[in-house]
Amino acid sequence: MLIRNFAKASCAMAALMLAGCEGGVLDPKGQVGIDEKQLIVIATLLMLIVVIPVIVMTLYFAWKYRDGRDHEIYAPKWAHSKTIELVVWCVPIVIVGILGVITWHSTHKLDPYQPLEHEAEPITVEVVSLNWKWLFIYPEQGIASVNELAFPANVPVNFKISSDTAMNSFFIPQLGSQIYSMAGMTTKLHLIANEPGTYKGISANYSGAGFTGMKFNAIATPTRDDFNAWVAKVKREGAALGPESYRELAKESSNNPVSYYASVSDGLFEQIVMQYMHHHQMPAHEGMAMPAVTLHGQSHEQVHASESSNTTGGEH
């Protein structure tokens, strides 16, 4: 009866744990996610080669030599066994070696900076993390959206990622790798969805009070025409995103709804990145309509003047 109840409880626990895998890294919908799941499964199985025998032997020896087993052989002078030494040293060494080879290969294959090899032409999305929302800029389409990301299924997406606030982590668990967004820096990530659907996107790095509402939907449309229809919807319903409207957007706010921008100032993403690089001149950008100003209201000249004044004051 005890064993039967234990088996039922184990099955219920396993079903509960597997239900939690839906929509996560163990339920991938993109090639990068599938490769990462295979890596997790292989590494786990290799480690279980050591873990399971250790657990079984621990339980077995505790039962075999329990109190009252006086008839068991007692060998207090036993000290060494070449067979045991070979097993306990060789097996972990072989496993570590195999894991090292797999990790080296996977590290290069799943490099987030490496473009995906695919016959379809990729699209580019510029991602900016704000307090506490995600801004997605489509430079090729000239649009932007907040907390909603769309792209065609079976088409590689090249993400350029930065931040206009604290460090965050851009992560769509079902599509694959996560990567950090940092102010004044640009990171890259390449993902693809193997099938259409709506996947949850999050920040995997705590960034303050509104962190829990910093989520978005990643919509993989069935066809490129469906994606073009979404672009047309954004252009039809959205407003313009320029320096003034961006400054309003960048203000702290929590649990932000989805919003669209029908047009975006040329070079906005580069402006967001370079505003923190006070001592570096932003390179000329063809067609840039924005003046060389920081997006928080100070020009580079004002910043330099302020720094010079502070330095002079310090000398006095």
Side-chain angles (χ1 to χ4, degrees):
M1 180 63 71
L2 179 62
I3 295 178
R4 185 180 302 174
N5 293 335
F6 178 76
K8 290 181 179 179
S10 300
C11 291
M13 183 64 70
L16 183 63
M17 294 176 66
L18 290 175
C21 296
E22 184 178 0
V25 294
L26 296 182
D27 183 26
K29 301 298 182 184
Q31 188 57 50
V32 176
I34 292 173
D35 291 343
E36 291 179 345
K37 177 186 176 182
Q38 291 176 346
L39 177 62
I40 293 172
V41 171
I42 292 173
T44 302
L45 292 177
L46 285 172
M47 288 185 284
L48 287 179
I49 292 176
V50 173
V51 172
I52 291 179
V54 169
I55 293 175
V56 172
M57 286 190 293
T58 300
L59 296 175
Y60 173 72
F61 290 136
W63 173 83
K64 183 177 177 64
Y65 297 103
R66 67 188 184 278
D67 186 26
R69 301 280 287 185
D70 297 334
H71 60 281
E72 297 292 349
I73 298 175
Y74 178 59
K77 295 183 179 179
W78 181 89
H80 183 73
S81 170
K82 290 184 178 178
T83 303
I84 293 177
E85 290 288 338
L86 287 173
V87 171
V88 299
W89 282 105
C90 289
V91 173
I93 289 175
V94 171
I95 292 175
V96 170
I98 296 174
L99 284 174
V101 172
I102 294 175
T103 302
W104 183 88
H105 177 72
S106 302
T107 300
H108 290 79
K109 181 182 178 182
L110 299 175
D111 181 359
Y113 277 59
Q114 180 174 312
L116 301 176
E117 296 182 0
H118 199 278
E119 59 185 10
E121 184 179 355
I123 67 171
T124 299
V125 180
E126 297 168 338
V127 182
V128 181
S129 61
L130 304 168
N131 281 340
W132 286 272
K133 47 194 162 288
W134 291 96
L135 172 63
F136 303 106
I137 302 172
Y138 293 75
E140 296 159 355
Q141 290 75 22
I143 62 171
S145 62
V146 172
N147 286 347
E148 184 173 283
L149 171 67
F151 49 85
N154 296 307
V155 172
V157 185
N158 301 337
F159 292 103
K160 296 170 62 179
I161 304 168
S162 187
S163 176
D164 195 6
T165 178
M167 184 170 69
N168 285 273
S169 179
F170 179 75
F171 191 23
I172 307 173
Q174 286 187 279
L175 298 188
S177 307
Q178 64 86 26
I179 197 162
Y180 290 105
S181 62
M182 293 170 281
M185 299 179 66
T186 301
T187 53
K188 296 180 180 179
L189 181 64
H190 298 84
L191 297 176
I192 187 172
N194 288 4
E195 57 185 85
T198 300
Y199 310 114
K200 297 297 182 185
I202 60 174
S203 173
N205 188 77
Y206 179 73
S207 58
F211 165 76
T212 54
M214 196 172 176
K215 302 173 181 176
F216 64 92
N217 284 331
I219 303 172
T221 61
T223 65
R224 192 178 282 270
D225 289 340
D226 293 317
F227 171 70
N228 292 335
W230 179 83
V231 173
K233 174 186 174 184
V234 173
K235 289 186 176 180
R236 186 173 59 251
E237 299 179 3
L241 183 61
E244 293 297 329
S245 54
Y246 176 78
R247 278 194 282 271
E248 289 297 319
L249 176 65
K251 293 179 179 177
E252 292 185 356
S253 57
S254 302
N255 301 312
N256 296 272
V258 174
S259 58
Y260 301 136
Y261 293 94
S263 62
V264 181
S265 298
D266 288 341
L268 178 60
F269 181 79
E270 287 77 11
Q271 290 275 346
I272 295 170
V273 175
M274 295 304 295
Q275 65 180 320
Y276 295 98
M277 310 295 284
H278 299 317
H279 298 290
H280 297 270
Q281 183 65 37
M282 182 177 173
H285 187 87
E286 184 176 359
M288 182 179 294
M290 296 175 60
V293 297
T294 61
L295 296 171
H296 290 300
Q298 276 188 301
S299 68
H300 293 295
E301 289 73 14
Q302 288 174 319
V303 172
H304 291 162
S306 176
E307 291 176 347
S308 301
S309 173
N310 292 337
T311 303
T312 304
E315 292 176 349
H316 288 290

